[in-house]
Every structure is written in structure tokens, then in C-alpha cells.
Amino acid sequence: MSARKRTVVLISGRGSNMTALIAAASNPDYPAEIVGVISDRANAAGLGVAAARGIATKVISRADYSSKEAHDGAIDAALVSFGAEIVALAGYMRILGARFVEKWLGRMINIHPALLPAFKGLDTHARAIRAGIRIHGCTVHFVTLDMDDGPIIAQAAVPVMVGDNEDMLAARVLKAEHRLYPLALGLVAEGKARMEGGRTVLAHFADDADNSTSVIMAPDPLREETDLEQLARITP
């Protein structure tokens, strides 16, 4: 097996997707190694999770720097100190500057809680419900200069149930995120997904043939309950 790609995760909060990546990387056969976690918030719960798993952490607060560019520069310096080869944004709530993005172009990925290009930005689940869509999901993509606009690496879809509220839908999507992000990071780390000419190129990779027949439909009405008394009357 070739050397595992050194990956640093950027977070701002609880880090549930970070935790999923750490769990995947605990398998020595996984092609990426999580070598550090950076947060812009000192109270981010994910920092404690990472530290408990023996992963180095660093807080780089925006308030400690005179400008956005200086803040980006401090993050870049930390990534270099970690020897980062891939940067994975996992609930990182700040927009990174053009110089930073350009330096890490093709090596920085993000997970977004919607099926891009639909519902870029915030409040994706509430907006999806208001729009009346029946299929929702999540996307892992390469980070480019425009927010939530980079080439798509992988997606996962879930149904929007008739009685869903925002929290119920968010919980269903989050479960899909925890499966999708490790898969997508693995593809990038192995070189099976790369950014080229503004698109994602998949190489040395084959989809599971069973996926070609997979269908998610919503709503999928429940079958009518069987009337056992009527069934007994007509059964010989």
C-alpha cells in the first residue's frame, strides 16, 4: 500500500463529520491519515473529540488576527506544519480567501448538506422543505473560489418524508453525510477522484453495478392495512 495521505480537518463546531473521518482513518488500510484538526473557535466540541483520539489540534481564532488574509495565512502555516496533503472542511463556517483557496485548489474538499447545485449556502433543510422537494441529500465537492460551487466528487440522497420538519430531515441527511464523506475522502486520497480542468475526473474506479438499479422514491405510500375479518370471509 502507498503512503497514506496526510489530511487535516477544519471545523467550527461539534465535528460529527470529522469524527466519521477519524473513524474511517483508524483502519490502517484507509488511504488517508487524519494528522491534525484546526478550529476557528476555541469552544468547538470537536476539538475534545479529536484530542481524545490522540490527534493534534490547533485553535486559530479570527479575533486574534488583524485581517482575513492574516487569519488565512495562519491557517496555511498550520497546515504546512502538519505536513498536510489534503484539507477536509467539516462544518467549517468561515469563507476562505482567494489566495488560500488557489494554493490548495484540487487538494481541499468540503461536505455540503444538500444535493448541489441546489440549495447552496445555509439553512438547506428548511429551504428544501419550503420548496416542497421530495429528494434531498448531501454532496462532497472540491473547494473553489465560489461558495459551494466546486466540482462534485460524490453525493448521497435521502427521501423527504411527508411529516418531516427541519430537524428530522437534518438528522436523516447527517447519517448519509457520515457515510459519504469517508468514501469521498478515500477516493481523493487514492487518486481515484481528482480535479482537472474545473471538473472531477474519476479514474481506476468502477461503480457498484447494483447502484444502477437503485431508486429512491418519495413519497412512497404505505400499503393499506389488511382487513383480517374481510380476508377470513373470502378465504376458502
Side-chain angles (χ1 to χ4, degrees), residues 72-131:
D72 284 353
I75 296 171
D76 179 63
L79 292 172
V80 172
S81 71
F82 280 127
E85 297 172 278
I86 298 174
V87 181
L89 309 184
Y92 187 70
M93 300 306 293
R94 290 192 175 275
I95 296 175
L96 296 159
R99 182 177 297 179
F100 182 96
V101 171
E102 287 170 356
K103 175 176 178 178
W104 291 95
L105 198 65
R107 297 181 291 158
M108 182 161 56
I109 63 177
N110 179 55
I111 188 161
H112 181 72
L115 291 173
L116 293 174
F119 304 113
K120 298 176 182 180
L122 302 175
D123 302 320
T124 59
H125 309 307
R127 289 159 58 202
I129 290 173
R130 286 198 300 270

Side-chain angles (χ1 to χ4, degrees), residues 14 113 123-130 136 158-161 163-175 177:
R14 61 185 174 179
D123 302 320
T124 59
H125 309 307
R127 289 159 58 202
I129 290 173
R130 286 198 300 270
H136 191 39
V158 301
V160 181
M161 308 302 283
D164 270 349
N165 59 34
E166 180 182 354
D167 291 340
M168 294 162 67
L169 181 56
R172 189 175 307 115
V173 172
L174 189 61
K175 288 183 178 179
E177 291 179 40

Side-chain angles (χ1 to χ4, degrees), residues 1-6 28 30-33 85 189-190:
M1 177 181 173
S2 59
R4 303 169 77 194
K5 293 294 185 181
R6 296 176 64 84
Y30 188 72
E33 176 187 8
E85 297 172 278
E190 286 186 293

